[in-house]
Amino acid sequence: MQRSVMPPHGRPEPRAPQPRGPWGPGAPTGPQPQPPVRGRGWRALGVTSIVLSVLLVAGSIGGYTFWRRLDGQITRENVDDKLGDKRPAKLNAALNILVMGSDTRAGENARYGQEAGQRSDTTILLHISPGGDGAIGISFPRDSMVKIPECSKEKGGKVPGRLDMINSAYALGGPACTWRTIESLTGIHIDHFVEVDFSGFKRVVDALDGVEICVPKRIDDPKAELHLRRGRQIVRGDQALGYVRTRTGGLGDGSDLSRIKRQQAFMASVVKKATDKGMLTDPGKTYDFLSAVAKSIKADRRLNLSVMQKVAGSLKGMSAGKVRFMTVPVEAYPADKNRVQFSSSLARPLFEAIQQDNAPPEPAPPVVPAQQGAKLPPVPPAQVRMGVYNATKVDGLGKRIAEQLGSKGFAVDKVGTLKATAGARTEILFGPGAQRQAAALAAALPGHPPRPAPRGRAGFVYLIIGTDGLTVPGTARPVPKVAGEVRADQNICGLGRA
């Protein structure tokens, strides 16, 4: 059965060192792709909704003792030594969590059949904007042909880089290899990972007392233990698991893309249920839900108690309407009609928007006073002659900031680089007579009060970009809408029918 019906375009090219990731034309190299693994795994389960929901719900609880109990129930894995040194720079205060669904058949999961090894048919990047302004879950189709970097095996040794399906990264190198792969493809710095298995998924759904779905017709799928009537209904336990696993139940065309769309509707419903006022105002239900999640996930060692508290606090009050789910835009893979590849023209803007997601602007600093103590108003941007100097290891950052300032009317005369120094902070300096010009730049770049540079050029302003990075408010591109994306507050009966 075909997994994509999209027209072919281009081919993937080898991984490039730039943070934008590998896109564009170029003949694929490396070993030939292996036949698809059929009948395995739970596909793209709603694990992202579980992770996001726990963060949203956790913002409603207080008390160190409760947090400590939850923290002690989470299984953790150290992956730091397997991520390598050549990672994308972290450009802002956003949080990016890699979410995976494991189809391990160990322990409680043995009842779902015997399968050797481990796989993850779920690869989703959960992006939470600075300050809890919004959240986006981005699904990566399991059949995407991509360049996978060299990875460390979980039990020692190396897996060479290769061209393969994206979910093979987890099968051979575990969570750390999937982490490295997504960073290399997108140029997005990932902060943490979370993994959920079959039994954990059921446990969480049951803690919510079920999740609402809507199906267009009666479903009978014995293989997935799924029997559903037409229309709205609540699913729990094995029914919920069967709903997100089914391949032959007549829901959609059987492709991964169709399945992902249906499962994104399920994620939206989980978020909506978890953030319902009745749930958040019942301490017992809230703790039971959070405890079920904690017992069901594995995470990296750095996703500790203090990090979870901080993130949960920043998300407090976020509504379901600010949560979106989307799939990386793909197209047919020319060498195999059962595979897909990223669409260069559509995936790149999505990844770049996620990379550059910015925090809300801070209040403007006070106007710089003159030496005599009088306050001088800033001049118009066009009267600010300035230079932009990149003191980080992020290639092209100075040019990008200069272009953004130019779009705001500043007269950037020079763009240069300085030796990167660990801990160097972004700052605005001004030469003799350029106080008002510096004040104008400081007004456009809140949080960076200017200071004099007595040996600088007269009337000239210097912007030094340090390792703490820099954001030009009002210039970040919003994350583009993707065809078929799902918002968590949408009508459940209008979703997931493809």
Side-chain angles (χ1 to χ4, degrees), residues 14-325:
R15 177 187 175 195
Q18 294 83 4
R20 289 187 172 183
W23 299 284
T29 59
Q32 292 298 311
Q34 299 299 312
V37 179
R38 299 183 183 277
R40 291 178 172 179
W42 55 338
R43 309 303 169 193
L45 288 180
V47 291
T48 295
S49 57
I50 293 172
V51 176
L52 182 58
S53 294
V54 71
L55 294 173
L56 292 171
V57 174
S60 67
I61 69 171
Y64 179 80
T65 301
F66 286 102
W67 276 101
R68 192 68 181 174
R69 288 178 187 172
L70 295 173
D71 184 61
Q73 296 171 348
I74 298 174
T75 301
R76 289 191 168 83
E77 178 178 335
N78 181 21
V79 298
D80 290 350
D81 59 346
K82 298 176 183 177
L83 299 179
D85 299 325
K86 298 180 179 178
R87 299 183 58 198
K90 187 169 179 62
L91 302 180
N92 49 45
L95 184 70
N96 297 306
I97 302 176
L98 181 63
V99 185
M100 292 167 280
S102 168
D103 69 352
T104 177
R105 306 306 166 91
E108 296 178 71
N109 301 297
R111 61 164 301 215
Y112 299 108
Q114 297 299 315
E115 293 286 355
Q118 59 180 3
R119 284 154 300 279
S120 174
D121 283 345
T122 302
T123 305
I124 303 173
L125 183 63
L126 174 61
H127 172 77
I128 302 174
S129 295
D133 190 51
I136 300 172
I138 305 173
S139 299
F140 292 79
R142 66 181 295 276
D143 290 338
S144 301
M145 296 299 296
V146 300
K147 289 290 291 184
I148 297 175
E150 179 182 80
C151 293
S152 298
K153 295 181 180 179
E154 291 194 296
K155 296 183 179 180
K158 296 286 185 180
V159 181
R162 65 205 180 280
L163 177 68
D164 207 339
M165 290 199 302
I166 198 168
N167 70 331
S168 71
Y170 183 95
L172 297 176
C177 190
T178 301
W179 187 325
R180 280 176 55 83
T181 299
I182 298 301
E183 284 194 338
S184 71
L185 294 172
T186 65
I188 298 169
H189 183 96
I190 296 173
D191 301 289
H192 303 286
F193 90 86
V194 172
E195 181 183 304
V196 185
D197 63 17
F198 287 145
S199 298
F201 174 80
K202 289 170 48 181
R203 191 181 297 119
V204 171
V205 171
D206 287 346
L208 286 172
D209 195 23
V211 174
E212 185 179 45
I213 63 171
C214 186
V215 294
K217 61 180 181 180
R218 180 176 178 82
I219 302 297
D220 288 291
D221 182 2
K223 290 184 178 180
E225 303 180 13
L226 183 65
H227 302 280
L228 300 172
R229 57 179 173 78
R230 179 179 180 272
R232 289 177 179 265
Q233 56 206 288
I234 301 294
V235 290
R236 300 174 176 83
D238 286 324
Q239 272 196 321
L241 185 60
Y243 176 73
V244 293
R245 290 182 68 197
T246 184
R247 288 174 51 85
T248 60
L251 294 172
D253 60 13
S255 71
D256 277 337
L257 300 180
S258 172
R259 191 164 33 245
I260 286 173
K261 185 175 181 181
R262 166 165 43 92
Q263 290 146 1
Q264 286 172 340
F266 187 87
M267 295 185 210
S269 192
V270 170
V271 172
K272 192 173 183 179
K273 179 70 175 285
T275 56
D276 180 79
K277 289 183 179 179
M279 171 82 173
L280 296 177
T281 56
D282 187 323
K285 287 183 179 180
T286 298
Y287 184 78
D288 287 346
F289 169 71
L290 295 175
S291 180
V293 173
K295 293 175 182 177
S296 304
I297 65 175
K298 178 169 70 174
D300 62 284
R301 187 176 61 182
R302 289 181 291 106
L303 187 56
N304 55 31
L305 179 63
S306 61
V307 171
M308 291 189 294
Q309 284 181 298
K310 181 179 179 181
V311 174
S314 71
L315 293 178
K316 189 174 183 179
M318 181 191 289
S319 65
K322 292 186 177 180
V323 180
R324 300 158 61 189
F325 298 101

Side-chain angles (χ1 to χ4, degrees), residues 382-461:
Q383 295 181 22
V384 180
R385 295 180 56 230
M386 62 177 294
V388 177
Y389 299 86
N390 182 9
T392 76
K393 295 181 179 180
V394 181
D395 294 337
L397 180 58
K399 181 179 178 182
R400 184 168 76 241
I401 295 297
E403 290 174 347
Q404 292 174 349
L405 289 171
S407 70
K408 286 182 166 292
F410 289 92
V412 180
D413 291 351
K414 181 174 177 58
V415 178
T417 60
L418 298 176
K419 182 179 179 180
T421 304
R425 308 288 293 179
T426 297
E427 59 181 342
I428 298 172
L429 307 176
F430 60 91
Q435 290 173 295
R436 296 175 63 196
Q437 289 84 351
L441 181 60
L445 302 175
H448 304 287
R451 63 184 183 88
R455 300 178 62 181
R457 287 169 50 188
F460 200 75
V461 179

